[in-house]
Amino acid sequence: MMNRLLKNKKGVTILEGLIALGLLALVAGGTFGVLLSVSRKSSQPDIREEMLLAVERANEQLQMYASGTSSSDLPTEYQNGLCNNGDTTLSTGEHAINCMLPAICDPDSSKSHFSYTVGSQSVNAADFPEAANYRTSTFDAAKTITFEITCNGFTL
């Protein structure tokens, strides 16, 4: 009886093949969706890391401006501002430094922007114990610098 069943079955019908292909496509699509989601999630720390490094680089370069007495004290490439745009680097207001965006960011996109804002505030030396190192008791224009960076839609 088993031989007769095996002899009558000659192959797979078109309907069975289509059902098998449909199930395979469903499983492959679900697997691909999960892999794509995991890939996107894992790239976020890379972008965040790159953005933090860009802020650190910009901060280090701004410290050069703060410590120099004139622009001629600075290296030649920084005498015209951080992005060589003739910007007065430590003047009050917002300064765009898109030239310092990490390579991972799309500079032509509206989703990527890098800037810093300089503010000034009066600081009383009595509020800071380390002020004893200075000859004056008040600092007229202490600078506050706030960085804002957005890379491919992610903001830090």
Side-chain angles (χ1 to χ4, degrees):
M1 182 160 169
M2 187 69 153
N3 286 339
R4 196 172 14 162
L5 286 174
L6 291 177
K7 286 182 183 178
N8 289 339
K9 190 167 185 166
K10 299 209 180 210
V12 178
T13 67
I14 293 177
L15 182 61
E16 290 171 333
L18 288 176
I19 291 172
L21 281 175
L23 289 173
L24 180 64
L26 189 64
V27 170
T31 304
F32 181 73
V34 168
L35 290 176
L36 187 62
S37 174
V38 168
S39 171
R40 284 185 184 155
K41 295 266 188 216
S42 69
S43 71
Q44 287 178 5
D46 293 339
I47 290 174
R48 181 174 162 75
E49 227 173 83
E50 290 291 326
M51 289 169 31
L52 282 171
L53 288 172
V55 169
E56 287 177 10
R57 272 192 311 272
N59 189 38
E60 287 174 4
Q61 290 180 7
L62 283 175
Q63 286 177 4
M64 283 192 312
Y65 284 96
S67 64
T69 56
S70 70
S71 63
S72 61
D73 293 341
L74 298 170
T76 314
E77 64 269 17
Y78 300 122
Q79 289 181 4
N80 289 321
L82 291 181
C83 286
N84 203 19
N85 57 5
D87 193 7
T88 308
T89 311
L90 292 175
S91 63
T92 304
E94 185 174 340
H95 304 269
I97 50 172
N98 286 341
C99 69
M100 297 184 79
L101 275 169
I104 198 169
C105 302
D106 182 9
D108 298 328
S109 169
S110 63
K111 294 181 178 182
S112 297
H113 175 72
F114 191 14
S115 67
Y116 66 95
T117 304
V118 178
S120 63
Q121 65 183 19
S122 183
V123 178
N124 188 350
D127 295 336
F128 299 97
E130 63 272 3
N133 299 332
Y134 299 99
R135 294 183 185 176
T136 182
S137 61
T138 60
F139 300 95
D140 292 331
K143 303 286 184 180
T144 58
I145 297 176
T146 307
F147 290 96
E148 182 179 320
I149 184 169
T150 302
C151 179
N152 301 338
F154 297 104
T155 301
L156 182 64

